[in-house]
Amino acid sequence: MKKPNLVFIQNDHQAFFNHRPGSGARPLRPNFDRLCAEGARFDNAYCVTPMCAPARRTMLTGQYTHEHKQYFNYCDSPFAQTYLEVLRQGGYENYYFGKWHAGKTDVLRRNAECFTCEGYGNPYTTPEYAAYCQRLGIEKAVHRVDWAFTMDQYEEANYWPKLKTGAAYSCEGTWCGEHAVGETITPKESHEAFFLADMACRKLEQIKQEDSGRPFALRVDFWGPHQPFFPSAEFLHLYDEVDISPFGSLHADLAGKPDLYKIEWTVPFGEDNRLCQPTRITEEQWAMILKHVYAHITMLDAAGGLIVDKLRQLGLDENTLIVWTTDHGDSIASNGGHFDKGSHMCEEVMRIPLAMRLDGTIPKGVVCEELVNTVDLPVTLLDAAGLRFAQRRFGRSLLDIFRPGAPAWRQELLCEHMGHGYGEEHLSKMLRWKNYKLIYHHEQGQINELYDLDRDSFEQRNLYDDPAYGGVKALMLDKLRARLLETDDELSHEAWIE
C-alpha cells in the first residue's frame, strides 16, 4: 500500500482553553469541528512550551526545549534532525508554506519546497504576496485599527510607527505582531491566512495533476490568530459583544500565585511592566476585544477549511493523515486581565486544540482524553510514514492510541518554560497527572503551584501549601523527578526540587 500523505495545518498563538461553551459566545470553528467529527479530537493536548520559537523547534525535531536549547524566540541553537529531513530521505515530497520562526531557515530550504520568512517575518511585504494580490486583482491588506496598544520596547524600536487607533493601516514592518484590534477592510482574501491557503490549494492541484506517485507532506503555518486581531467584517458579524461574558479569571486577584502572573508589558493592561489590578479595561471593552479575537480565530478556521476541502475535492484525503493544531495558547483576558502570554504556565497558554484524521486507523468522532503534547507530533508524522528519527525521541506516536495491543499510554505529562525572554528568564517545569497540575519554579522566591483542574479549571486556588494535599504534592514531585531523569534533563541532577 502506498505510504499516506501528510497534511499538517498549524495556527499560531490561539486562545482556546476555557473559551468554551457554557459562558456565552465562544470561538466558532466549523471546519476544525468537522475534522474532529471525521477523526479524533484530543481534549488533553498541551504544548511542550508556550513560546513560539521553542515550541516550533519542538514540532520539527520532536525534542523537549531542554534538549534542542532553542530557549527563546531570539535563540539560534544548532538544529537536530527534523522530521522533514527524515521524510525527504524516505521519499516524500515536502512542501512548507508560512511562518517558520524556529531558527535559521536553511534547514527548511534544504528539505522542502517552501515559502517562509526569516525570524518572525512579515508575509505582507514579500514578492509572493504582491504577485498573489495582483493575480486576484485585489488591494494589499488594509486594516482599520479600532484600538492600538503600546509597549515600551516596541515604541523604542519604532516597529510600527503608523499603527494608530482609528488609522487605516498596512503592515510594512519587518514583522507583523502588532498589539492591536481592528478590521480588515480590504477583501478577506487579502489576509495572510487566505494567501497561504491559496498557495497550499494550488500546490495540491499541481500534485493531483502531475500524479508523481510519490507521497507528499504539506505543512501550512498561519501567522494568526496571533495578534494583531484584524478579522474582516464577515467574521466580526458572527459575534455580538453582549453575548461575550467576562472571562472566568478576568477579575482574579492572583492571591497565592507566583509573581510571574503579575508581569504584563502591554499598556493599558499593564503599567511599568506590571499587570494593572484590578483591570482598567471595562467588561464592555473586554467584550469588544474578545469579539475580535474570536472572529480572527473563525477567519483562520475558514482559511484552513479551504485546504481540507481541497483535499476532499481532489480525492487526496482518503490516504492522508491530516493534523490541525496550534503551537501554544494565549492568556488574553485571563488571570486578572492579561493581553499577551508571559512566563507563566496557566492552562490558557498550555492547552491547545488538536484534531487528527487518518481513515482506516483513527475512528470517526472519537474524543481522546489521553495526555498528549507537541513533542509527540513529529514522531506521529514519521510513524504514519513508516519512518523514525535516527536518534531517540521521548515523544510517542499518537497513532498508538488507536492500535489494539499497543503499550499503555503515559499517565503523566511533562512541559517546561524558560520564560518569555527579553530580560524575563524564569525556568519552570510542569507536570500533569490525572486531574492535578504541578508547576515547579527553579527561581527562588517564586511560589510553586498545584491545582485540581476538575474543581478549578481557571487555577485560582493554589493547593501547593495546603496540608490536605500534602500527599498529592509529594507524589507529583516524585513523578516530576522521574520525568526529568527519563528525558535526560540536566536539572534532574540538581537538588532544587523539594
Side-chain angles (χ1 to χ4, degrees):
M1 182 179 178
K2 180 184 174 182
K3 289 186 176 183
N5 305 310
L6 308 172
V7 174
F8 186 7
I9 303 172
Q10 179 157 273
N11 296 354
D12 186 73
H13 187 115
Q14 181 173 336
F16 166 65
F17 189 71
N18 281 326
H19 295 270
R20 289 185 169 186
S23 60
R26 69 189 192 282
L28 301 173
R29 304 171 302 164
N31 292 288
F32 181 87
D33 291 344
R34 181 180 176 186
L35 184 62
C36 292
E38 294 175 343
R41 187 186 82 210
F42 295 82
D43 278 0
N44 282 300
Y46 284 78
C47 63
V48 166
T49 189
M51 281 297 293
C52 286
R56 289 171 171 276
R57 181 69 71 95
T58 289
M59 296 170 89
L60 290 161
T61 65
Q63 293 180 312
Y64 283 93
T65 312
H66 68 260
E67 295 181 277
H68 62 60
K69 303 188 186 308
Q70 180 77 23
Y71 296 136
F72 307 107
N73 284 350
Y74 45 81
C75 288
D76 188 25
S77 62
F79 264 93
Q81 187 181 44
T82 69
Y83 80 87
L84 292 169
E85 180 182 354
V86 181
L87 288 175
R88 179 182 59 78
Q89 294 171 347
Y92 273 75
E93 298 175 341
N94 292 336
Y95 308 98
Y96 188 113
F97 304 134
K99 185 178 179 181
W100 176 250
H101 203 198
K104 295 290 179 61
T105 63
D106 57 330
V107 172
L108 171 60
R109 299 181 192 280
R110 287 197 304 267
N111 292 292
E113 178 185 322
C114 65
F115 163 80
T116 192
C117 303
E118 294 289 347
Y120 188 104
N122 178 6
Y124 295 112
T125 59
T126 63
E128 292 89 345
Y129 175 74
Y132 161 79
C133 291
Q134 184 176 18
R135 175 167 57 83
L136 266 60
I138 60 174
E139 186 180 356
K140 292 182 180 180
V142 179
H143 319 283
R144 185 193 68 239
V145 181
D146 293 333
W147 198 351
F149 311 119
T150 61
M151 221 167 97
D152 290 344
Q153 297 92 322
Y154 293 172
E155 291 292 314
E156 292 170 5
N158 199 31
Y159 285 130
W160 308 296
K162 298 179 182 179
L163 184 70
K164 307 291 182 184
T165 299
Y169 173 78
S170 296
C171 184
E172 301 168 347
T174 57
W175 65 295
C176 57
E178 297 93 331
H179 286 205
V181 298
E183 179 183 326
T184 297
I185 56 178
T186 44
K188 66 182 181 184
E189 289 80 10
S190 66
H191 192 274
E192 58 88 9
F194 288 94
F195 161 55
L196 294 177
D198 177 81
M199 187 176 290
C201 289
R202 286 164 62 85
K203 178 53 65 176
L204 289 172
E205 291 172 346
Q206 180 184 345
I207 290 170
K208 179 68 173 180
Q209 182 178 8
E210 293 180 353
D211 192 18
S212 71
R214 296 177 61 191
F216 68 86
L218 169 67
R219 177 162 165 173
V220 180
D221 280 46
F222 298 119
W223 268 266
H226 193 291
Q227 68 263 14
F229 304 110
F230 288 157
S232 64
E234 171 184 344
F235 301 100
L236 279 168
H237 290 163
L238 296 173
Y239 299 90
D240 191 327
E241 293 167 27
V242 301
D243 296 328
I244 300 177
S245 305
F247 194 74
S249 60
L250 174 62
H251 297 298
D253 61 10
L254 305 182
K257 296 178 79 70
D259 187 69
L260 299 176
Y261 290 86
K262 300 172 185 178
I263 299 171
E264 173 58 57
W265 294 355
T266 307
V267 179
F269 309 91
E271 184 176 347
D272 296 326
N273 295 338
R274 303 293 293 177
L275 181 69
C276 293
Q277 293 181 275
T279 178
R280 296 177 178 177
I281 313 301
T282 68
E283 291 185 355
E284 292 75 18
Q285 290 171 323
W286 270 117
M288 183 274 287
I289 293 169
L290 289 178
K291 173 180 177 176
H292 286 77
V293 173
Y294 293 176
H296 196 183
I297 291 170
T298 306
M299 182 166 67
L300 267 291
D301 181 85
L306 293 175
I307 301 169
V308 181
D309 283 345
K310 182 60 68 174
L311 288 167
R312 297 186 185 106
Q313 292 166 10
L314 297 174
L316 293 174
D317 62 324
E318 297 173 359
N319 186 35
T320 298
L321 170 63
I322 307 172
V323 180
W324 197 345
T325 188
T326 188
D327 58 350
H328 56 73
D330 187 358
S331 58
I332 193 162
S334 74
N335 287 289
H338 284 276
F339 178 75
D340 200 1
K341 64 187 183 299
S343 298
H344 49 270
M345 300 182 77
C346 63
E347 288 290 272
E348 288 81 8
V349 299
M350 299 305 301
R351 292 278 276 271
I352 57 173
L354 173 60
M356 285 177 39
R357 172 188 165 184
L358 180 59
D359 293 353
T361 299
I362 300 176
K364 295 183 184 298
V366 66
V367 176
C368 299
E369 299 292 343
E370 286 82 359
L371 293 169
V372 306
N373 68 11
T374 47
V375 77
D376 300 319
L377 291 178
V379 178
T380 302
L381 293 167
L382 293 183
D383 180 35
L387 301 167
R388 60 189 303 172
F389 286 103
Q391 295 181 324
R392 180 184 178 186
R393 295 294 190 266
F394 296 109
R396 185 171 171 189
S397 172
L398 300 181
L399 299 180
D400 280 351
I401 294 173
F402 311 105
R403 289 176 173 141
W409 196 254
R410 66 168 69 96
Q411 297 300 305
E412 307 94 22
L413 188 74
L414 174 68
C415 302
E416 55 193 348
H417 201 354
M418 309 301 171
H420 194 276
Y422 306 99
E424 191 180 325
E425 300 180 8
H426 307 277
L427 174 58
S428 305
K429 303 289 181 177
M430 187 203 104
L431 187 86
R432 172 77 192 275
W433 173 69
K434 294 186 176 180
N435 52 304
Y436 294 106
K437 174 180 172 182
L438 171 75
I439 308 173
Y440 203 89
H441 301 288
H442 189 261
E443 179 185 3
Q444 291 187 350
Q446 294 291 345
I447 300 171
N448 295 320
E449 304 170 72
L450 176 65
Y451 303 104
D452 181 342
L453 297 178
D454 282 354
R455 297 183 178 183
D456 180 21
S457 69
F458 291 98
E459 302 169 286
Q460 294 307 302
R461 184 188 173 199
N462 187 357
L463 306 172
Y464 192 84
D465 291 322
D466 188 331
Y469 290 85
V472 172
K473 178 176 76 172
L475 179 60
M476 294 197 72
L477 288 171
D478 284 343
K479 290 179 178 294
L480 175 59
R481 291 188 197 95
R483 296 291 77 74
L484 295 179
L485 281 167
E486 179 188 15
T487 59
D488 296 337
D489 192 327
E490 59 188 20
L491 286 176
S492 63
H493 304 294
E494 294 186 16
W496 62 282
I497 299 178
E498 290 181 8

